[in-house]
């Protein structure tokens, strides 16, 4: 073999991919959400997550396989889907909503779990504390202490004045409601408002809201209220009373007002934690983070239909006004 042939052979060998540089197998992410996959919320959240992961270099159908599961507000279905995801042996799990975390944590203490849109993870036993979560779970909460008081305050700013408010939630699916009710009751004393609870758990109890003799309704965060928002909005429209919601989705679909955390931002931040864990970080070392962005939405078309007035001071702080 002459010198030219030797150099050619060396070049061919150098061009071959080394084992270290060979294509690595795709990592696997399991996503369990309480909303339906074909729901507008579910579709939006999926798109945001895929985009955020890609920004960190994790591309679906390339170096990341994502197994999507959506519970459509059905607790029994969420449990079954959690079982399915664990059986797939993912590298990491993303749990969107409290029921998703509950069902996944019952089935694994080893697979890392990042959560988003979850209220009070310490009291629910998901983590030891926010700064040092311990175990295999960490993530991002959707509730800040003063938030519930702000909801009530918004109702009292509406004209005609609201002096009696019903708080709507499903006790079976909102175990954190007590935390929010305490804040609401404290605010009620300052705002001189009478507060009573209106538990809902089925179509009949939701429909009964239409005949409640109150000045306003306050809908607490709850995957049940989100899944049944069409029935809720219909009952509230029939009652012809102002209502404040925990998600702008209600306002987009005809509700009066909402003040909420930015769930899109939570998913972007969750993508960062997923990236860090896939690169070797431990969930126990990543602090649970409280929300940092909030948004106020007001539907003036609904206000006009109800015959109520939203003060200019409140409108001036709104992130979105539907006219």
């Amino acid at each position: 073999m002459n010198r030219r042939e030797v150099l050619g052979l060396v070049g061919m060998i150098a061009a071959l991919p080394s084992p270290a540089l060979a294509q690595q197998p795709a990592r696997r992410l399991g996503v369990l959400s309480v909303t339906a996959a074909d729901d507008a919320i579910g579709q939006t959240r999926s798109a945001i997550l895929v985009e955020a992961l890609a920004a960190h270099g994790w591309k679906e159908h390339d170096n990341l396989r994502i197994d999507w599961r959506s519970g459509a507000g059905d607790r029994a279905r969420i449990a079954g889907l959690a079982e399915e995801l664990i059986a797939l042996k993912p590298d990491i799990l993303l749990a969107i909503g409290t029921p998703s975390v509950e069902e996944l944590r019952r089935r694994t203490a080893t697979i890392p779990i990042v959560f988003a849109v979850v209220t009070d993870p310490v009291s629910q036993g998901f983590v030891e504390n926010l700064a040092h979560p311990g175990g295999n779970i960490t993530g991002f909460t959707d509730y800040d202490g003063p938030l519930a008081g702000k909801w009530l305050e918004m109702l009292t700013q509406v004209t005609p004045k609201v002096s009696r408010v019903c708080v709507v939630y499903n006790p079976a699916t909102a175990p954190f409601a007590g935390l929010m009710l305490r804040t609401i009751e404290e605010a009620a004393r300052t705002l001189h408002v009478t507060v009573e609870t209106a538990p809902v758990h089925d179509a009949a109890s939701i429909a009964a809201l239409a005949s409640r003799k109150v000045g306003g309704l306050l809908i607490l965060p709850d995957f049940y209220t989100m899944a049944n928002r069409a029935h809720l909005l219909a009952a509230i429209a029939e009652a012809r009373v102002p209502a404040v919601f925990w998600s702008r989705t209600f306002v987009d679909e005809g509700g009066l007002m909402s003040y909420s955390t930015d769930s899109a931002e939570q998913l972007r931040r969750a993508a960062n934690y997923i990236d860090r864990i896939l690169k070797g970080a431990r969930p126990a070392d990543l602090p649970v983070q409280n929300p940092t962005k909030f948004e106020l939405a007001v539907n003036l078309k609904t206000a006009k239909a109800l015959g109520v007035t939203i003060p200019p001071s409140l409108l001036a702080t709104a992130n979105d006004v539907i006219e």
Side-chain angles (χ1 to χ4, degrees):
M1 182 179 292
N2 60 35
R3 183 173 180 275
R4 179 177 295 178
E5 291 173 327
V6 170
L7 290 174
L9 181 60
V10 170
M12 290 174 61
I13 293 172
L16 292 174
S18 69
L21 296 177
Q23 178 67 41
Q24 297 295 315
R27 307 298 293 275
R28 194 161 195 165
L29 165 65
V31 179
L32 180 58
S33 174
V34 296
T35 55
D38 57 355
D39 184 279
I41 300 171
Q43 292 176 344
T44 300
R45 287 177 174 174
S46 299
I48 290 168
L49 180 63
V50 169
E51 181 182 2
L53 287 168
H56 289 284
W58 298 103
K59 298 181 180 180
E60 189 179 16
H61 310 304
D62 184 1
N63 61 350
L64 183 68
R65 174 170 180 174
I66 305 179
D67 297 298
W68 304 91
R69 297 292 186 275
S70 303
D74 185 328
R75 187 54 185 267
R77 176 173 168 76
I78 292 168
L81 295 174
E83 200 78 44
E84 283 184 24
L85 283 176
I86 297 299
L88 294 174
K89 302 186 185 305
D91 296 289
I92 188 168
L93 292 158
L94 173 63
I96 304 174
T98 292
S100 298
V101 186
E102 288 179 335
E103 297 301 340
L104 289 172
R105 71 187 287 266
R106 289 174 183 172
R107 292 163 173 81
T108 181
T110 56
I111 300 173
I113 299 173
V114 175
F115 62 74
V117 198
V118 167
T119 301
D120 197 17
V122 176
S123 294
Q124 295 192 77
F126 299 159
V127 298
E128 293 176 8
N129 59 65
L130 300 185
H132 304 284
N136 64 317
I137 303 176
T138 188
F140 300 85
T141 73
D142 67 346
Y143 179 72
D144 191 42
L147 198 56
K150 177 68 175 178
W151 293 326
L152 188 64
E153 182 185 353
M154 288 167 60
L155 270 178
T156 64
Q157 293 180 42
V158 171
T159 304
K161 184 174 174 56
V162 174
S163 59
R164 188 160 167 249
V165 174
C166 265
V167 182
V168 180
Y169 66 99
N170 184 340
T173 55
F176 42 77
L179 169 72
M180 297 179 181
L181 286 170
R182 286 192 293 274
T183 301
I184 290 169
E185 287 162 358
E186 288 173 6
R189 287 191 285 272
T190 301
L191 297 167
H192 307 293
V193 178
T194 300
V195 171
E196 60 187 66
T197 58
V200 294
H201 57 274
D202 57 17
S205 57
I206 292 174
L209 293 174
S211 57
R212 282 269 186 173
K213 303 301 181 184
V214 293
L217 295 169
L218 195 165
I219 315 302
L220 291 188
D222 181 355
F223 84 93
Y224 180 85
T225 59
M226 179 59 79
N228 292 277
R229 62 187 182 278
H231 298 299
L232 272 170
L233 288 168
I236 293 168
E238 185 178 345
R240 294 189 59 77
V241 296
V244 169
F245 302 89
W246 59 276
S247 169
R248 65 162 295 151
T249 300
F250 289 89
V251 177
D252 291 337
E253 297 179 9
L256 179 63
M257 293 187 292
S258 68
Y259 186 62
S260 60
T261 56
D262 187 339
S263 59
E265 180 64 16
Q266 284 193 53
L267 289 174
R268 293 186 186 99
R269 297 167 76 195
N272 174 258
Y273 267 17
I274 291 169
D275 171 57
R276 293 172 66 178
I277 292 169
L278 287 174
K279 291 175 179 175
R282 299 191 314 149
D285 299 330
L286 299 175
V288 174
Q289 297 188 36
N290 284 326
T292 57
K293 292 182 67 175
F294 301 85
E295 56 183 6
L296 169 63
V298 178
N299 192 321
L300 287 181
K301 289 196 298 184
T302 300
K304 183 178 181 180
L306 291 173
V308 301
T309 302
I310 309 296
S313 58
L314 191 60
L315 290 174
T317 61
N319 301 87
D320 190 23
V321 177
I322 299 173
E323 299 190 63

